[in-house]
Amino acid sequence: IPVHAIHDIFISHEHCDHLLGVVWMIRMIATAMKKGSYEGNCTIYCHRGLVSVIDTIAKLTIQGKFYRMVGERILLEGVEDREHRKILEYDVEFFDIHSTKAKQYGFTTVLDNGRKLTFLGDEPYNEANRTQVQGCAWLLHEAFCMDGEAAKFSPYEKHHSTVKDACELAERMRIPRLVLWHTEDSH
């Protein structure tokens, strides 16, 4: 996806593997804006407590001429639990995933084809989010490692799932499409 086509970004939480890439995105988008090759604004959505964190990191690491675009055309939008926003013509509901590590949000929406898509955040499914997950056609779920690698990578100590855990959840909740993602430092 070319930079000039990205107008909405979601940051789930403050951990570096989820947050620090936004600094490069802000710089690249601000550069395109300055060159006149980016039309409109860019909105970065996150929970309200994360707005000041993103702003501070951007202010400390991005040249002033680019940082000045933050608040002007690069907008940091804090959202609340169960808040709805219209993004790309979709009704997107943000929700607190009830993380035990750090405040963290996921989101859910219904696609043009009528199918529900839910991003569960960076921790295993929490029963408190049943409404957001139930009836999904697409579930984006973290999986830290294969089940057979759990002893080596200790996913549960890090509040993560194995591939097996995510697949069992999808099967139990009759979710037909599961997109697994995550990184592990030694690979």
Side-chain angles (χ1 to χ4, degrees):
I1 300 171
V3 169
H4 69 270
I6 298 171
H7 293 276
D8 298 281
I9 298 172
F10 173 68
I11 305 296
S12 59
H13 64 296
E14 72 222 23
H15 293 157
C16 65
D17 58 332
H18 296 268
L19 175 66
L20 295 181
V22 78
V23 175
W24 282 106
M25 293 304 299
I26 290 170
R27 187 181 186 289
M28 290 170 43
I29 290 168
T31 300
M33 287 174 169
K34 296 285 253 177
K35 290 180 178 178
S37 60
Y38 188 99
E39 293 182 24
N41 295 332
C42 177
T43 305
I44 300 170
Y45 300 91
C46 57
H47 67 76
R48 295 206 186 278
L50 201 46
V51 169
S52 62
V53 173
I54 294 170
D55 184 63
T56 299
I57 293 171
K59 187 177 195 175
L60 293 172
T61 59
I62 298 173
Q63 289 176 291
K65 66 182 178 181
F66 299 122
Y67 172 73
R68 281 190 281 285
M69 304 303 278
V70 175
E72 186 180 310
R73 290 186 59 200
I74 299 174
L75 310 172
L76 302 177
E77 292 283 330
V79 296
E80 297 289 339
D81 184 29
R82 308 292 172 101
E83 182 174 344
H84 289 252
R85 294 286 183 101
K86 195 73 152 179
I87 301 172
L88 299 173
E89 301 304 314
Y90 296 104
D91 176 37
V92 176
E93 178 188 9
F94 297 97
F95 61 90
D96 188 332
I97 71 160
H98 304 282
S99 171
T100 56
K101 297 185 293 186
K103 182 101 169 158
Q104 186 175 162
Y105 278 21
F107 67 85
T108 190
T109 191
V110 176
L111 303 172
D112 289 339
N113 60 11
R115 293 183 174 155
K116 185 175 176 180
L117 175 137
T118 299
F119 168 71
L120 204 49
D122 190 35
E123 288 192 19
Y125 167 74
N126 185 313
E127 187 63 29
N129 299 122
R130 178 173 280 282
T131 303
Q132 288 79 18
V133 175
Q134 196 145 32
C136 277
W138 292 91
L139 180 64
L140 285 66
H141 194 295
E142 60 79 31
F144 197 69
C145 63
M146 301 293 288
D147 189 65
E149 299 173 316
K152 178 180 178 183
F153 294 115
S154 306
Y156 306 120
E157 291 174 19
K158 299 172 180 94
H159 302 268
H160 286 300
S161 304
T162 66
V163 171
K164 180 181 177 186
D165 297 328
C167 291
E168 286 176 346
L169 170 69
E171 185 175 308
R172 187 170 64 253
M173 295 189 79
R174 293 181 163 84
I175 298 169
R177 293 167 197 86
L178 179 64
V179 178
L180 300 176
W181 59 274
H182 209 283
T183 60
E184 191 285 315
D185 293 342
S186 69
H187 282 67

